């Protein structure tokens, strides 16, 4: 019964977000066709009034807003995200090409930052109030308060522009020639290193603080005191007995944090001109491509809601006491 109630809640939230997803782009000043013909749009060709009316009729933008909304909902049920006004391509195919890049840096950054935060947090909790704990705590607090895009800019200026250790932009070398697939992978990793590093540095602090606080609570439990009194190895006490019971809040945060990670990735991608969803979203907003904006926001919405739902399921499986 609780599961059905939770599913109904997610469905309601989904439709509320879908409605906002439809109306907010249309509240922006201008429209795709008049904007594309302006200097700000960067397109030299202009549209006549007849052409504008024709395109508006083709994309249904000449209909009343409620009819456009009805058509939008009906198309969603058919799995049709529409046709991009600017790119002249289906929204699904455009997003599919770009989302691979974003998922790559997001998944890798979540794995690295969560593992780093968990183990450093557990280590810091075991040595709480010591000098090394205070140093680690201070460093993590600083990084957790710095926005991901600012960290990205510092890395761009320092390691890419200043030291020339990494490429300034892009996800792969344009027109690059590779002797084998490993050289191509190496080039992709080289381009993606700084975006991933920026996300890892901005996320690790949150996982660290949660892991440290949870571990400190667990270490005060009677069974942990008993394990210490038995003279068990410190590594076994921390990782086998302590971390196993302290990891639940961190796992929850990994799922719940996905939305903010995507938000950070959007900003980081624009700093490095990385060819992912973040850069695509910026391009769609600039040219007022309503259909593409809706498709991007919808996919992010579905992903975040799915992760939140999985977080509920995982937490209940790990700890049946979670309501």
């Amino acid at each position: 019964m609780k599961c059905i109630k939770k599913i109904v809640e997610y469905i309601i939230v989904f439709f509320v977000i879908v409605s906002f997803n439809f109306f907010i782009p249309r509240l922006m000043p201008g429209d795709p066709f008049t904007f594309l013909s302006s200097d700000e749009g960067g397109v030299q060709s202009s549209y006549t009034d007849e052409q504008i009316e024709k395109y508006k009729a083709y994309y249904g933008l000449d209909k009343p807003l409620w009819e456009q909304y009805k058509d939008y909902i009906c198309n969603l049920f058919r799995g049709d995200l529409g046709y991009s006004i600017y790119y002249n391509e289906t929204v699904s195919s455009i997003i599919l090409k770009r989302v691979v890049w974003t998922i790559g840096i997001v998944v890798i950054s979540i794995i690295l930052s969560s593992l780093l935060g968990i183990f450093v947090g557990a280590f810091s909790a075991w040595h709480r109030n010591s000098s090394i704990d205070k140093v680690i705590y201070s460093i993590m607090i600083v990084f957790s308060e710095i926005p991901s895009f600012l960290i990205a800019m510092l890395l761009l200026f320092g390691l890419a522009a200043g030291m020339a250790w990494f490429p300034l932009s892009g996800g792969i070398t344009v027109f690059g020639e590779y002797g084998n697939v490993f050289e191509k992978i190496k080039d992709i990793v080289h381009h993606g290193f700084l975006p991933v590093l920026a996300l890892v540095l901005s996320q690790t602090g949150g996982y660290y603080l949660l892991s440290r606080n949870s571990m400190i609570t667990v270490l005060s439990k009677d069974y942990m005191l008993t394990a210490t009194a038995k003279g068990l190895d410190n590594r076994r006490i921390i990782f086998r007995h302590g971390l196993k019971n302290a990891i639940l809040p961190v796992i929850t945060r990994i799922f719940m944090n996905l939305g903010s990670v995507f938000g950070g990735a959007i900003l980081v991608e624009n700093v490095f001109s990385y060819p992912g969803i973040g850069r695509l979203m910026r391009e769609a907003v600039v040219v007022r491509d309503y259909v593409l904006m809706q498709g991007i926001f919808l996919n992010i919405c579905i992903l975040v809601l799915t992760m939140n739902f999985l977080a509920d399921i995982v937490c209940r499986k790990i700890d049946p006491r979670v309501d």
Side-chain angles (χ1 to χ4, degrees), residues 31 44 46 61 94 96 109 129 147 161 182-183 186 214 244 253 286 294 298 304 309 315:
D31 64 69
Q44 299 299 323
S46 60
L61 298 177
I94 297 172
L96 189 61
S109 66
N129 299 325
F182 297 104
E183 290 184 5
K186 180 182 177 181
S214 182
K244 180 181 178 181
R253 183 183 177 90
V286 167
Q294 289 170 180
L298 179 66
V304 172
F309 184 70
C315 287

Side-chain angles (χ1 to χ4, degrees), residues 3-273:
C3 184
I4 295 175
K5 182 181 177 181
K6 184 66 76 172
I7 292 174
V8 171
E9 290 176 357
Y10 275 106
I11 291 174
I12 293 173
V13 171
F14 173 75
F15 274 102
V16 170
I17 293 175
V18 164
S19 298
F20 277 111
N21 186 31
F22 173 82
F23 287 108
I24 288 178
R26 285 162 175 76
L27 295 176
M28 297 172 64
D31 64 69
F33 308 109
T34 56
F35 190 85
L36 287 179
S37 63
S38 67
D39 291 337
E40 189 177 356
V43 178
Q44 299 299 323
S45 59
S46 60
Y47 293 92
T48 64
D49 292 338
E50 291 78 10
Q51 287 176 313
I52 291 175
E53 292 301 321
K54 183 184 74 172
Y55 284 123
K56 283 186 176 181
Y58 177 78
Y59 287 100
L61 298 177
D62 60 334
K63 297 179 181 179
L65 203 57
W66 70 270
E67 284 193 29
Q68 295 183 42
Y69 179 72
K70 182 191 70 173
D71 293 340
Y72 172 61
I73 296 297
C74 291
N75 289 334
L76 283 184
F77 278 109
R78 292 196 298 265
D80 181 11
L81 297 181
Y83 205 79
S84 171
I85 299 172
Y86 181 74
Y87 289 98
N88 293 320
E89 191 177 349
T90 60
V91 170
S92 300
S93 61
I94 297 172
I95 293 177
L96 189 61
K97 293 176 185 175
R98 298 292 192 96
V99 76
V100 176
W101 296 93
T102 301
I103 288 177
I105 63 172
V106 166
V107 171
I108 293 172
S109 66
I110 287 177
I111 293 173
L112 293 178
S113 60
S114 59
L115 289 177
L116 184 62
I118 288 170
F119 288 111
V120 175
F123 175 82
S124 188
W126 182 258
H127 297 87
R128 61 188 180 280
N129 299 325
S130 66
S131 298
I132 189 169
D133 173 44
K134 292 177 181 178
V135 171
I136 296 174
Y137 185 85
S138 300
I139 293 174
M140 291 299 179
I141 285 291
V142 169
F143 276 106
S144 66
E145 294 299 322
I146 302 176
S148 57
F149 74 89
L150 184 55
I151 295 177
M153 291 180 66
L154 294 174
L155 293 175
L156 179 67
F157 290 131
L159 301 182
M163 306 297 292
W165 289 350
F166 299 95
L168 287 168
S169 62
I172 193 170
T173 302
V174 181
F175 304 119
E177 296 182 359
Y178 309 100
N180 52 62
V181 68
F182 297 104
E183 290 184 5
K184 185 176 182 179
I185 293 174
K186 180 182 177 181
D187 187 42
I188 293 174
V189 171
H190 193 212
H191 281 79
F193 184 86
L194 290 185
V196 169
L197 181 59
L199 291 173
V200 168
L201 291 176
S202 66
Q203 296 172 56
T204 301
Y207 293 120
Y208 162 82
L209 293 172
L210 197 58
S211 174
R212 180 181 182 275
N213 292 338
S214 182
M215 191 67 178
I216 288 175
T217 302
V218 169
L219 288 174
S220 64
K221 301 295 183 181
D222 292 338
Y223 62 85
M224 292 298 293
L225 296 176
T226 303
T228 305
K230 288 181 177 179
L232 297 178
D233 181 66
N234 288 344
R235 186 181 303 174
R236 185 179 179 183
I237 295 174
I238 295 174
F239 297 112
R240 184 171 180 178
H241 296 281
L243 199 57
K244 180 181 178 181
N245 296 285
I247 202 171
L248 176 61
V250 182
I251 293 177
T252 305
R253 183 183 177 90
I254 291 173
F255 286 95
M256 301 294 288
N257 202 37
L258 189 66
S260 61
V261 176
F262 260 94
I266 288 170
L267 299 174
V268 168
E269 285 179 0
N270 282 288
V271 171
F272 293 103
S273 294

Side-chain angles (χ1 to χ4, degrees), residues 295-306:
I296 295 171
F297 292 143
L298 179 66
N299 278 274
I300 293 177
C301 160
I302 292 173
L303 187 61
V304 172
L305 289 178
T306 302

